[in-house]
Amino acid sequence: MIKLAIIGYPLGHSLSPAMHNASLRELGIEGSYIALETPPETLEKRIEFFKNEKFNGFNVTIPHKVEIIKFLDNIDNFVKNVGAVNTVIIDENNKFYGYNTDVYGFVYAIPENLRKNFRGQKAAIIGAGGAARAVLAGLTEMDLQEISILARNIEKSLDLQKMILKNFPHIKINFLLLDDNVDLSDCCIVVNTTPLGMQGKYEDISPLNQDTIATLPKNAFVYDIVYKPQKTKFIEYAENQGLNTLNGLDMLILQGAKSFELWTGQKPSVKIIKNSLFDFL
Ligand code: NAP
């Protein structure tokens, strides 16, 4: 019987239990995936709990994605690049292995023919928080050579630059303040990693205004990793300009599918995962 969980704090919004329990059921794997709220000061106790209760693995979300690393016995290359973990496997000897499947989800959600065209080109990323780390690692995976970070907090942008340059010293990083007038005419892809546009207080806000979006080339790809609503203001503005767009739903599904495969050795059905999220989205 497989025992899986997600840890984070707070966890009210997590879609992961629905997604993974649906895949367990579909593949006839006995076990369960539960949400375990874990306030920051209880992380060490939670690790002990996983060992004592013989869990097989877990997902990690805010605020533990970086802090968890010190409890792990091994990490994969994406984690080395990103400095954050979202998936942990626990083996039969209670050894903990950390992975970052957000990078995989981000990259493989993009249609393959477009991904290939990005090689050697320039990208822009909006935001400099946790998800921006995985997105930046994904952009380097796709071999983009120059990346502009648009954020309101220049110190966080500098941290991201350090992270990238440590492993990819040839990549050029530019910093731009997220203000009204930005020229993106040389970018082939722009990615929103802020919560602007997300259902709730930010829903009516686009991280870029229509004039800035209009500076993008006609074949640019506009990617919003926000998945609820599926058509954010940013996506709406980009579609108005006739640009190719993608929201964060496929990234969410693919990172989950990859985590599931790491724990069980079996590929879950993307369709089943999508259906399991239907009620929430
Ligand atoms: P985070 O670590 O809190 O980072 C958020 C970033 O957005 C920070 O750079 C923050 O700037 C910036 N920001 C927040 N409010 C802003 C505002 N009003 N104006 C300008 N910038 C603002 O959050 P995260 O974990 O990266 O998540 C960000 C979004 O990505 C969320 O909507 C989340 O749902 C989505 N996400 C999607 C997936 C997926 O699979 N599709 C995966 C992960 C995350 P400061 O640092 O200055 O506060």
Side-chain angles (χ1 to χ4, degrees), residues 158-187:
L158 283 164
D159 285 347
L160 291 187
Q161 182 195 37
K162 259 191 230 152
M163 175 197 101
I164 293 296
L165 294 185
K166 200 169 68 182
N167 297 298
F168 304 93
H170 60 282
I171 291 185
K172 184 169 179 221
I173 307 275
N174 313 304
F175 305 104
L176 298 169
L177 274 177
L178 192 53
D179 63 15
D180 285 342
N181 297 309
V182 183
D183 182 353
L184 299 176
S185 55
D186 51 1
C187 289

PDB file of all heavy atoms in Angstrom, residues 158-187:
ATOM      1  N   LEU A 158      18.129  39.749  -8.465  1.00  0.00           N
ATOM      2  CA  LEU A 158      19.575  39.492  -8.372  1.00  0.00           C
ATOM      3  C   LEU A 158      19.843  38.080  -7.844  1.00  0.00           C
ATOM      4  O   LEU A 158      20.769  37.402  -8.293  1.00  0.00           O
ATOM      5  CB  LEU A 158      20.241  40.528  -7.468  1.00  0.00           C
ATOM      6  CG  LEU A 158      20.452  41.895  -8.118  1.00  0.00           C
ATOM      7  CD1 LEU A 158      20.754  42.955  -7.067  1.00  0.00           C
ATOM      8  CD2 LEU A 158      21.557  41.851  -9.153  1.00  0.00           C
ATOM      9  N   ASP A 159      19.008  37.626  -6.906  1.00  0.00           N
ATOM     10  CA  ASP A 159      19.149  36.247  -6.400  1.00  0.00           C
ATOM     11  C   ASP A 159      18.949  35.243  -7.530  1.00  0.00           C
ATOM     12  O   ASP A 159      19.674  34.262  -7.639  1.00  0.00           O
ATOM     13  CB  ASP A 159      18.080  35.942  -5.320  1.00  0.00           C
ATOM     14  CG  ASP A 159      18.418  36.600  -4.000  1.00  0.00           C
ATOM     15  OD1 ASP A 159      19.568  37.062  -3.859  1.00  0.00           O
ATOM     16  OD2 ASP A 159      17.525  36.660  -3.138  1.00  0.00           O
ATOM     17  N   LEU A 160      17.959  35.525  -8.367  1.00  0.00           N
ATOM     18  CA  LEU A 160      17.695  34.615  -9.488  1.00  0.00           C
ATOM     19  C   LEU A 160      18.873  34.624 -10.461  1.00  0.00           C
ATOM     20  O   LEU A 160      19.269  33.590 -10.983  1.00  0.00           O
ATOM     21  CB  LEU A 160      16.423  35.037 -10.236  1.00  0.00           C
ATOM     22  CG  LEU A 160      15.099  34.861  -9.510  1.00  0.00           C
ATOM     23  CD1 LEU A 160      13.943  35.168 -10.448  1.00  0.00           C
ATOM     24  CD2 LEU A 160      14.950  33.436  -9.016  1.00  0.00           C
ATOM     25  N   GLN A 161      19.437  35.802 -10.682  1.00  0.00           N
ATOM     26  CA  GLN A 161      20.579  35.890 -11.599  1.00  0.00           C
ATOM     27  C   GLN A 161      21.734  35.016 -11.089  1.00  0.00           C
ATOM     28  O   GLN A 161      22.353  34.269 -11.842  1.00  0.00           O
ATOM     29  CB  GLN A 161      21.044  37.344 -11.733  1.00  0.00           C
ATOM     30  CG  GLN A 161      22.204  37.475 -12.712  1.00  0.00           C
ATOM     31  CD  GLN A 161      22.924  38.794 -12.604  1.00  0.00           C
ATOM     32  OE1 GLN A 161      23.087  39.341 -11.519  1.00  0.00           O
ATOM     33  NE2 GLN A 161      23.332  39.330 -13.730  1.00  0.00           N
ATOM     34  N   LYS A 162      21.981  35.111  -9.766  1.00  0.00           N
ATOM     35  CA  LYS A 162      23.064  34.305  -9.159  1.00  0.00           C
ATOM     36  C   LYS A 162      22.820  32.825  -9.410  1.00  0.00           C
ATOM     37  O   LYS A 162      23.722  32.078  -9.763  1.00  0.00           O
ATOM     38  CB  LYS A 162      23.092  34.546  -7.638  1.00  0.00           C
ATOM     39  CG  LYS A 162      24.166  35.512  -7.206  1.00  0.00           C
ATOM     40  CD  LYS A 162      24.292  35.480  -5.697  1.00  0.00           C
ATOM     41  CE  LYS A 162      24.242  36.893  -5.160  1.00  0.00           C
ATOM     42  NZ  LYS A 162      23.739  37.020  -3.821  1.00  0.00           N
ATOM     43  N   MET A 163      21.573  32.416  -9.193  1.00  0.00           N
ATOM     44  CA  MET A 163      21.213  31.006  -9.361  1.00  0.00           C
ATOM     45  C   MET A 163      21.510  30.536 -10.792  1.00  0.00           C
ATOM     46  O   MET A 163      22.098  29.487 -11.008  1.00  0.00           O
ATOM     47  CB  MET A 163      19.719  30.846  -9.051  1.00  0.00           C
ATOM     48  CG  MET A 163      19.159  29.488  -9.280  1.00  0.00           C
ATOM     49  SD  MET A 163      17.354  29.565  -9.364  1.00  0.00           S
ATOM     50  CE  MET A 163      17.104  29.507 -11.133  1.00  0.00           C
ATOM     51  N   ILE A 164      21.139  31.370 -11.761  1.00  0.00           N
ATOM     52  CA  ILE A 164      21.329  30.990 -13.167  1.00  0.00           C
ATOM     53  C   ILE A 164      22.813  30.984 -13.533  1.00  0.00           C
ATOM     54  O   ILE A 164      23.318  30.031 -14.131  1.00  0.00           O
ATOM     55  CB  ILE A 164      20.581  31.976 -14.103  1.00  0.00           C
ATOM     56  CG1 ILE A 164      19.074  31.832 -13.915  1.00  0.00           C
ATOM     57  CG2 ILE A 164      20.945  31.775 -15.560  1.00  0.00           C
ATOM     58  CD1 ILE A 164      18.533  30.492 -14.315  1.00  0.00           C
ATOM     59  N   LEU A 165      23.509  32.049 -13.138  1.00  0.00           N
ATOM     60  CA  LEU A 165      24.896  32.181 -13.587  1.00  0.00           C
ATOM     61  C   LEU A 165      25.809  31.112 -12.993  1.00  0.00           C
ATOM     62  O   LEU A 165      26.824  30.752 -13.587  1.00  0.00           O
ATOM     63  CB  LEU A 165      25.429  33.587 -13.286  1.00  0.00           C
ATOM     64  CG  LEU A 165      24.742  34.708 -14.084  1.00  0.00           C
ATOM     65  CD1 LEU A 165      25.403  36.052 -13.816  1.00  0.00           C
ATOM     66  CD2 LEU A 165      24.742  34.422 -15.593  1.00  0.00           C
ATOM     67  N   LYS A 166      25.437  30.606 -11.825  1.00  0.00           N
ATOM     68  CA  LYS A 166      26.228  29.539 -11.188  1.00  0.00           C
ATOM     69  C   LYS A 166      26.351  28.330 -12.128  1.00  0.00           C
ATOM     70  O   LYS A 166      27.406  27.738 -12.259  1.00  0.00           O
ATOM     71  CB  LYS A 166      25.528  29.125  -9.889  1.00  0.00           C
ATOM     72  CG  LYS A 166      26.429  28.398  -8.912  1.00  0.00           C
ATOM     73  CD  LYS A 166      25.771  28.249  -7.567  1.00  0.00           C
ATOM     74  CE  LYS A 166      24.602  27.286  -7.699  1.00  0.00           C
ATOM     75  NZ  LYS A 166      23.808  27.040  -6.552  1.00  0.00           N
ATOM     76  N   ASN A 167      25.263  27.989 -12.783  1.00  0.00           N
ATOM     77  CA  ASN A 167      25.266  26.799 -13.649  1.00  0.00           C
ATOM     78  C   ASN A 167      25.314  27.116 -15.141  1.00  0.00           C
ATOM     79  O   ASN A 167      25.670  26.266 -15.935  1.00  0.00           O
ATOM     80  CB  ASN A 167      24.031  25.942 -13.365  1.00  0.00           C
ATOM     81  CG  ASN A 167      24.048  25.434 -11.942  1.00  0.00           C
ATOM     82  OD1 ASN A 167      24.951  24.703 -11.558  1.00  0.00           O
ATOM     83  ND2 ASN A 167      23.081  25.851 -11.150  1.00  0.00           N
ATOM     84  N   PHE A 168      24.906  28.339 -15.499  1.00  0.00           N
ATOM     85  CA  PHE A 168      24.858  28.707 -16.921  1.00  0.00           C
ATOM     86  C   PHE A 168      25.494  30.084 -17.101  1.00  0.00           C
ATOM     87  O   PHE A 168      24.803  31.072 -17.363  1.00  0.00           O
ATOM     88  CB  PHE A 168      23.407  28.730 -17.428  1.00  0.00           C
ATOM     89  CG  PHE A 168      22.682  27.434 -17.221  1.00  0.00           C
ATOM     90  CD1 PHE A 168      21.915  27.228 -16.086  1.00  0.00           C
ATOM     91  CD2 PHE A 168      22.775  26.414 -18.151  1.00  0.00           C
ATOM     92  CE1 PHE A 168      21.257  26.024 -15.889  1.00  0.00           C
ATOM     93  CE2 PHE A 168      22.126  25.207 -17.956  1.00  0.00           C
ATOM     94  CZ  PHE A 168      21.363  25.014 -16.821  1.00  0.00           C
ATOM     95  N   PRO A 169      26.831  30.152 -16.955  1.00  0.00           N
ATOM     96  CA  PRO A 169      27.496  31.465 -16.951  1.00  0.00           C
ATOM     97  C   PRO A 169      27.380  32.221 -18.267  1.00  0.00           C
ATOM     98  O   PRO A 169      27.582  33.438 -18.303  1.00  0.00           O
ATOM     99  CB  PRO A 169      28.963  31.118 -16.642  1.00  0.00           C
ATOM    100  CG  PRO A 169      29.088  29.657 -16.850  1.00  0.00           C
ATOM    101  CD  PRO A 169      27.751  29.040 -16.720  1.00  0.00           C
ATOM    102  N   HIS A 170      27.037  31.518 -19.367  1.00  0.00           N
ATOM    103  CA  HIS A 170      26.984  32.176 -20.676  1.00  0.00           C
ATOM    104  C   HIS A 170      25.673  32.933 -20.888  1.00  0.00           C
ATOM    105  O   HIS A 170      25.542  33.697 -21.836  1.00  0.00           O
ATOM    106  CB  HIS A 170      27.150  31.129 -21.783  1.00  0.00           C
ATOM    107  CG  HIS A 170      26.074  30.085 -21.743  1.00  0.00           C
ATOM    108  ND1 HIS A 170      26.090  29.051 -20.832  1.00  0.00           N
ATOM    109  CD2 HIS A 170      24.935  29.942 -22.467  1.00  0.00           C
ATOM    110  CE1 HIS A 170      25.004  28.306 -21.016  1.00  0.00           C
ATOM    111  NE2 HIS A 170      24.286  28.825 -21.991  1.00  0.00           N
ATOM    112  N   ILE A 171      24.677  32.714 -20.016  1.00  0.00           N
ATOM    113  CA  ILE A 171      23.371  33.343 -20.266  1.00  0.00           C
ATOM    114  C   ILE A 171      23.366  34.803 -19.809  1.00  0.00           C
ATOM    115  O   ILE A 171      23.846  35.118 -18.714  1.00  0.00           O
ATOM    116  CB  ILE A 171      22.250  32.541 -19.574  1.00  0.00           C
ATOM    117  CG1 ILE A 171      22.116  31.209 -20.297  1.00  0.00           C
ATOM    118  CG2 ILE A 171      20.924  33.297 -19.578  1.00  0.00           C
ATOM    119  CD1 ILE A 171      21.009  30.334 -19.844  1.00  0.00           C
ATOM    120  N   LYS A 172      22.826  35.660 -20.663  1.00  0.00           N
ATOM    121  CA  LYS A 172      22.773  37.081 -20.312  1.00  0.00           C
ATOM    122  C   LYS A 172      21.449  37.374 -19.598  1.00  0.00           C
ATOM    123  O   LYS A 172      20.385  37.014 -20.102  1.00  0.00           O
ATOM    124  CB  LYS A 172      22.896  37.911 -21.597  1.00  0.00           C
ATOM    125  CG  LYS A 172      22.960  39.378 -21.314  1.00  0.00           C
ATOM    126  CD  LYS A 172      23.353  40.190 -22.534  1.00  0.00           C
ATOM    127  CE  LYS A 172      23.356  41.651 -22.116  1.00  0.00           C
ATOM    128  NZ  LYS A 172      22.781  42.520 -23.118  1.00  0.00           N
ATOM    129  N   ILE A 173      21.547  38.007 -18.424  1.00  0.00           N
ATOM    130  CA  ILE A 173      20.333  38.335 -17.658  1.00  0.00           C
ATOM    131  C   ILE A 173      20.190  39.854 -17.583  1.00  0.00           C
ATOM    132  O   ILE A 173      21.149  40.560 -17.256  1.00  0.00           O
ATOM    133  CB  ILE A 173      20.428  37.780 -16.212  1.00  0.00           C
ATOM    134  CG1 ILE A 173      20.748  36.286 -16.204  1.00  0.00           C
ATOM    135  CG2 ILE A 173      19.159  38.101 -15.427  1.00  0.00           C
ATOM    136  CD1 ILE A 173      19.581  35.358 -16.350  1.00  0.00           C
ATOM    137  N   ASN A 174      19.003  40.358 -17.903  1.00  0.00           N
ATOM    138  CA  ASN A 174      18.716  41.797 -17.773  1.00  0.00           C
ATOM    139  C   ASN A 174      17.665  41.988 -16.689  1.00  0.00           C
ATOM    140  O   ASN A 174      16.827  41.118 -16.479  1.00  0.00           O
ATOM    141  CB  ASN A 174      18.139  42.358 -19.078  1.00  0.00           C
ATOM    142  CG  ASN A 174      18.937  41.923 -20.283  1.00  0.00           C
ATOM    143  OD1 ASN A 174      20.127  42.160 -20.342  1.00  0.00           O
ATOM    144  ND2 ASN A 174      18.286  41.275 -21.241  1.00  0.00           N
ATOM    145  N   PHE A 175      17.691  43.147 -16.052  1.00  0.00           N
ATOM    146  CA  PHE A 175      16.681  43.443 -15.028  1.00  0.00           C
ATOM    147  C   PHE A 175      15.831  44.607 -15.478  1.00  0.00           C
ATOM    148  O   PHE A 175      16.351  45.628 -15.912  1.00  0.00           O
ATOM    149  CB  PHE A 175      17.358  43.824 -13.710  1.00  0.00           C
ATOM    150  CG  PHE A 175      18.313  42.791 -13.225  1.00  0.00           C
ATOM    151  CD1 PHE A 175      19.671  42.969 -13.346  1.00  0.00           C
ATOM    152  CD2 PHE A 175      17.846  41.620 -12.657  1.00  0.00           C
ATOM    153  CE1 PHE A 175      20.547  42.006 -12.918  1.00  0.00           C
ATOM    154  CE2 PHE A 175      18.714  40.649 -12.220  1.00  0.00           C
ATOM    155  CZ  PHE A 175      20.067  40.838 -12.351  1.00  0.00           C
ATOM    156  N   LEU A 176      14.542  44.444 -15.357  1.00  0.00           N
ATOM    157  CA  LEU A 176      13.634  45.543 -15.688  1.00  0.00           C
ATOM    158  C   LEU A 176      12.636  45.682 -14.556  1.00  0.00           C
ATOM    159  O   LEU A 176      12.181  44.673 -14.000  1.00  0.00           O
ATOM    160  CB  LEU A 176      12.877  45.242 -16.992  1.00  0.00           C
ATOM    161  CG  LEU A 176      13.718  45.086 -18.252  1.00  0.00           C
ATOM    162  CD1 LEU A 176      12.869  44.517 -19.385  1.00  0.00           C
ATOM    163  CD2 LEU A 176      14.300  46.430 -18.659  1.00  0.00           C
ATOM    164  N   LEU A 177      12.308  46.929 -14.229  1.00  0.00           N
ATOM    165  CA  LEU A 177      11.266  47.115 -13.222  1.00  0.00           C
ATOM    166  C   LEU A 177       9.919  46.937 -13.898  1.00  0.00           C
ATOM    167  O   LEU A 177       9.732  47.330 -15.056  1.00  0.00           O
ATOM    168  CB  LEU A 177      11.376  48.506 -12.613  1.00  0.00           C
ATOM    169  CG  LEU A 177      12.349  48.622 -11.433  1.00  0.00           C
ATOM    170  CD1 LEU A 177      12.431  50.056 -10.969  1.00  0.00           C
ATOM    171  CD2 LEU A 177      11.952  47.695 -10.282  1.00  0.00           C
ATOM    172  N   LEU A 178       9.028  46.289 -13.152  1.00  0.00           N
ATOM    173  CA  LEU A 178       7.700  46.018 -13.709  1.00  0.00           C
ATOM    174  C   LEU A 178       6.913  47.335 -13.716  1.00  0.00           C
ATOM    175  O   LEU A 178       6.144  47.613 -12.823  1.00  0.00           O
ATOM    176  CB  LEU A 178       7.011  44.963 -12.834  1.00  0.00           C
ATOM    177  CG  LEU A 178       5.752  44.308 -13.350  1.00  0.00           C
ATOM    178  CD1 LEU A 178       5.949  43.729 -14.738  1.00  0.00           C
ATOM    179  CD2 LEU A 178       5.336  43.202 -12.395  1.00  0.00           C
ATOM    180  N   ASP A 179       7.153  48.144 -14.754  1.00  0.00           N
ATOM    181  CA  ASP A 179       6.378  49.388 -14.825  1.00  0.00           C
ATOM    182  C   ASP A 179       5.619  49.441 -16.143  1.00  0.00           C
ATOM    183  O   ASP A 179       5.522  48.435 -16.850  1.00  0.00           O
ATOM    184  CB  ASP A 179       7.258  50.621 -14.599  1.00  0.00           C
ATOM    185  CG  ASP A 179       8.305  50.769 -15.679  1.00  0.00           C
ATOM    186  OD1 ASP A 179       8.170  50.114 -16.723  1.00  0.00           O
ATOM    187  OD2 ASP A 179       9.256  51.533 -15.486  1.00  0.00           O
ATOM    188  N   ASP A 180       5.110  50.602 -16.477  1.00  0.00           N
ATOM    189  CA  ASP A 180       4.182  50.672 -17.602  1.00  0.00           C
ATOM    190  C   ASP A 180       4.795  50.502 -18.989  1.00  0.00           C
ATOM    191  O   ASP A 180       4.167  50.012 -19.892  1.00  0.00           O
ATOM    192  CB  ASP A 180       3.442  52.014 -17.558  1.00  0.00           C
ATOM    193  CG  ASP A 180       2.400  51.984 -16.468  1.00  0.00           C
ATOM    194  OD1 ASP A 180       2.061  50.871 -16.034  1.00  0.00           O
ATOM    195  OD2 ASP A 180       1.936  53.047 -16.049  1.00  0.00           O
ATOM    196  N   ASN A 181       6.055  50.942 -19.139  1.00  0.00           N
ATOM    197  CA  ASN A 181       6.586  50.982 -20.499  1.00  0.00           C
ATOM    198  C   ASN A 181       7.796  50.075 -20.684  1.00  0.00           C
ATOM    199  O   ASN A 181       8.905  50.445 -20.337  1.00  0.00           O
ATOM    200  CB  ASN A 181       6.972  52.420 -20.862  1.00  0.00           C
ATOM    201  CG  ASN A 181       5.757  53.313 -20.845  1.00  0.00           C
ATOM    202  OD1 ASN A 181       4.744  52.989 -21.461  1.00  0.00           O
ATOM    203  ND2 ASN A 181       5.835  54.396 -20.093  1.00  0.00           N
ATOM    204  N   VAL A 182       7.551  48.910 -21.224  1.00  0.00           N
ATOM    205  CA  VAL A 182       8.637  47.967 -21.466  1.00  0.00           C
ATOM    206  C   VAL A 182       8.583  47.561 -22.934  1.00  0.00           C
ATOM    207  O   VAL A 182       7.510  47.325 -23.481  1.00  0.00           O
ATOM    208  CB  VAL A 182       8.473  46.712 -20.566  1.00  0.00           C
ATOM    209  CG1 VAL A 182       9.638  45.764 -20.760  1.00  0.00           C
ATOM    210  CG2 VAL A 182       8.355  47.103 -19.104  1.00  0.00           C
ATOM    211  N   ASP A 183       9.763  47.490 -23.555  1.00  0.00           N
ATOM    212  CA  ASP A 183       9.822  47.079 -24.962  1.00  0.00           C
ATOM    213  C   ASP A 183      10.263  45.614 -25.026  1.00  0.00           C
ATOM    214  O   ASP A 183      11.367  45.275 -24.622  1.00  0.00           O
ATOM    215  CB  ASP A 183      10.840  47.972 -25.689  1.00  0.00           C
ATOM    216  CG  ASP A 183      10.914  47.628 -27.166  1.00  0.00           C
ATOM    217  OD1 ASP A 183      10.278  46.630 -27.585  1.00  0.00           O
ATOM    218  OD2 ASP A 183      11.628  48.346 -27.905  1.00  0.00           O
ATOM    219  N   LEU A 184       9.372  44.774 -25.529  1.00  0.00           N
ATOM    220  CA  LEU A 184       9.676  43.336 -25.582  1.00  0.00           C
ATOM    221  C   LEU A 184       9.796  42.866 -27.040  1.00  0.00           C
ATOM    222  O   LEU A 184       9.578  41.696 -27.346  1.00  0.00           O
ATOM    223  CB  LEU A 184       8.569  42.543 -24.868  1.00  0.00           C
ATOM    224  CG  LEU A 184       8.367  42.860 -23.379  1.00  0.00           C
ATOM    225  CD1 LEU A 184       7.182  42.073 -22.813  1.00  0.00           C
ATOM    226  CD2 LEU A 184       9.627  42.544 -22.573  1.00  0.00           C
ATOM    227  N   SER A 185      10.170  43.784 -27.918  1.00  0.00           N
ATOM    228  CA  SER A 185      10.116  43.471 -29.357  1.00  0.00           C
ATOM    229  C   SER A 185      11.118  42.397 -29.778  1.00  0.00           C
ATOM    230  O   SER A 185      11.002  41.842 -30.872  1.00  0.00           O
ATOM    231  CB  SER A 185      10.314  44.740 -30.184  1.00  0.00           C
ATOM    232  OG  SER A 185      11.513  45.354 -29.806  1.00  0.00           O
ATOM    233  N   ASP A 186      12.111  42.105 -28.907  1.00  0.00           N
ATOM    234  CA  ASP A 186      13.066  41.053 -29.299  1.00  0.00           C
ATOM    235  C   ASP A 186      12.859  39.745 -28.519  1.00  0.00           C
ATOM    236  O   ASP A 186      13.736  38.884 -28.498  1.00  0.00           O
ATOM    237  CB  ASP A 186      14.515  41.550 -29.148  1.00  0.00           C
ATOM    238  CG  ASP A 186      14.759  42.158 -27.779  1.00  0.00           C
ATOM    239  OD1 ASP A 186      13.819  42.179 -26.960  1.00  0.00           O
ATOM    240  OD2 ASP A 186      15.899  42.589 -27.524  1.00  0.00           O
ATOM    241  N   CYS A 187      11.690  39.580 -27.872  1.00  0.00           N
ATOM    242  CA  CYS A 187      11.448  38.364 -27.079  1.00  0.00           C
ATOM    243  C   CYS A 187      10.575  37.375 -27.845  1.00  0.00           C
ATOM    244  O   CYS A 187       9.555  37.747 -28.409  1.00  0.00           O
ATOM    245  CB  CYS A 187      10.721  38.719 -25.781  1.00  0.00           C
ATOM    246  SG  CYS A 187      11.775  39.599 -24.639  1.00  0.00           S
TER     247      CYS A 187
END
